[in-house]
Amino acid sequence: MAAILFTLARERSLRRQRVFRDRTNPLDVFSDRELICRYRFPRRTIVDFIQQVDRRLSRPTNRSHPLPVSSMVLATLRVLSKGDFQSEAADIHGISQPSFSRMFMGVVDALNASLDNIIFPMGQEEILRTKEEFLRVANFPNVVGAIDGTLIPIMGMTGDDEHVFVCRKGFHAINMQGIVTADLRFTNIVCKYGGATHDAYILANSCIPEIMDQLPGGGWLLGDSGYPLRPWLMTPFLTPQAGQQEKYNASHIKTRNCVERAFGVLKSRFRCLHKTGGALAYTPSKCVRIIECCCRLHNRAIEDRIPAPAMGQVPIFSDNDTFNAETIVNANAVNTRNIIVRRF
């Protein structure tokens, strides 16, 4: 009997005791300004995220103390906003690093599913409103969006397809294509191609050409010289003549600048997408879901008129090689651009 009791006591001493961490709820401690600084959103919006994630997140567990959804959402927003290591965000919110790793992508997917706010304008009223907003920027008519690509750094990787992700700047990245409105809201994103992929290739293999061909009332996208001139895609003159062509270029650049600003605000709001916050240390498929989540959260911040972080915009990385448009001339596109030039 003594031997049995000794064995049980020894097993009990070797068994790891459960640790109940202190999970102080930041929603009860911080003001809206402090929450925006740390999590990019005020209390009412974070509570809305918690409710949406709670409805969509599947959390089967036999534990008597499951993770609170509020802690899961706050820790996820912290990583996206600050680019912190998982262990740092987990410690702040009283979560173990393994638990955080298991739940992180689930919260990201739940946010993606609940935030259905990346929609290209297709209704007549919405298209007209978008064109009027762009017209007020620099008097460029009939614009429904500005398009460009930006590089999202990811951790170095190995494998047969590594070269696909090495951008011309020498680091591993995903080349994200974005179309934005004049108020910096994303209406379309494509973020499944590696950093070595050219902007023009991404556009040609997206749904945008078909959408623009069928757009009610017609309209144009504005792109830089990295894109080919198309009847629905206006690019600047590479060597503009003095007068109307220079005025056209000036208006084009000023109007298209909103997409550069949108990328800058996106990356300053969510530092995980910029090199100052490190790089996304996940597989490319997971990185794509994280990038999409940040874009949807960015749109929600625009809708709720939440100010951008105080540090302002950050330098962005883009793949802006000049496309040799002179070798592929589209007569209809050239005529359309010449008609626009005469307005100036």
Side-chain angles (χ1 to χ4, degrees):
M1 179 62 70
I4 295 176
L5 292 176
F6 176 78
T7 301
L8 292 175
R10 186 171 181 275
E11 290 179 353
R12 190 178 298 112
S13 65
L14 292 176
R15 186 182 303 148
R16 181 182 176 184
Q17 290 185 336
R18 293 187 61 183
V19 177
F20 296 96
R21 299 171 183 266
D22 179 19
R23 294 177 184 143
T24 302
N25 192 342
L27 297 176
D28 299 332
V29 178
F30 296 126
S31 65
D32 276 349
R33 177 175 295 182
E34 292 170 325
L35 288 171
I36 292 173
C37 178
R38 291 164 173 79
Y39 303 99
R40 302 301 187 243
F41 294 96
R43 180 177 289 99
R44 68 180 185 279
T45 307
I46 294 176
V47 170
D48 185 32
F49 291 157
I50 292 171
Q51 294 173 347
Q52 294 178 27
V53 169
D54 192 25
R55 289 194 296 267
R56 294 179 178 273
L57 195 62
S58 175
R59 298 184 301 138
T61 178
N62 295 322
R63 296 176 58 186
S64 57
H65 293 272
L67 290 176
V69 178
S70 59
S71 296
M72 298 164 66
V73 171
L74 287 167
T76 300
L77 291 176
R78 178 80 181 198
V79 169
L80 299 179
S81 303
K82 299 293 187 178
D84 290 341
F85 287 107
Q86 286 188 358
S87 57
E88 302 296 326
D91 289 345
I92 292 172
H93 297 89
I95 304 173
S96 69
Q97 195 280 328
S99 294
F100 182 91
S101 182
R102 285 192 295 270
M103 67 84 181
F104 176 62
M105 291 309 302
V107 175
V108 167
D109 290 338
L111 288 171
N112 280 334
S114 60
L115 293 172
D116 185 19
N117 57 8
I118 300 181
I119 305 173
F120 197 86
M122 294 299 292
Q124 290 282 4
E125 293 184 3
E126 190 178 7
I127 292 174
L128 182 60
R129 183 172 60 253
T130 301
K131 292 179 179 179
E132 290 175 348
E133 291 173 352
F134 275 112
L135 185 65
R136 288 195 291 267
V137 175
N139 202 35
F140 204 108
N142 215 34
V143 178
V144 296
I147 184 172
D148 202 1
T150 188
L151 298 172
I152 309 296
I154 64 176
M155 289 292 286
M157 49 185 296
T158 59
D160 295 337
D161 59 347
E162 179 193 5
H163 65 283
V164 175
F165 294 92
V166 180
C167 68
R168 65 187 182 88
K169 298 182 183 293
F171 58 86
H172 294 83
I174 287 178
N175 191 3
M176 168 189 153
Q177 173 184 281
I179 299 177
V180 305
T181 57
D183 62 354
L184 312 187
R185 198 165 32 86
F186 287 97
T187 57
N188 183 270
I189 61 170
V190 179
C191 54
K192 62 182 179 180
Y193 293 97
T197 310
H198 196 279
D199 291 348
Y201 178 88
I202 297 176
L203 174 62
N205 289 273
S206 69
C207 62
I208 294 303
E210 182 179 357
I211 290 176
M212 295 303 298
D213 286 337
Q214 301 175 1
L215 192 69
W220 303 310
L221 297 176
L222 299 187
D224 61 15
S225 55
Y227 292 99
L229 182 65
R230 292 288 180 265
W232 43 266
L233 175 59
M234 295 295 104
T235 60
F237 288 93
L238 297 180
T239 55
Q241 299 177 4
Q244 290 179 314
Q245 288 188 3
E246 286 187 343
K247 292 179 180 179
Y248 164 92
N249 269 16
S251 177
H252 183 286
I253 292 170
K254 187 174 181 180
T255 306
R256 195 192 64 83
N257 180 255
C258 63
V259 69
E260 304 282 357
R261 290 164 50 216
F263 287 145
V265 172
L266 173 70
K267 292 184 177 183
S268 64
R269 202 170 246 140
F270 301 104
R271 288 282 170 167
C272 68
L273 303 182
H274 192 262
K275 280 212 164 190
T276 56
L280 292 175
Y282 304 91
T283 62
S285 61
K286 289 184 178 180
C287 291
V288 166
R289 289 146 64 189
I290 294 171
I291 295 169
E292 178 186 350
C293 183
C294 291
C295 291
R296 294 186 183 279
L297 291 171
H298 167 85
N299 277 7
R300 177 60 183 268
I302 296 293
E303 294 166 6
D304 291 353
R305 300 182 181 275
I306 298 171
M311 70 280 292
Q313 299 183 23
V314 297
I316 64 173
F317 302 103
S318 61
D319 186 7
N320 56 358
D321 284 341
T322 299
F323 184 85
N324 190 4
E326 303 302 327
T327 62
I328 307 176
V329 178
N330 186 302
N332 290 335
V334 172
N335 292 335
T336 300
R337 186 168 66 174
N338 289 337
I339 291 173
I340 300 173
V341 168
R342 288 198 284 270
R343 286 179 53 96
F344 299 95

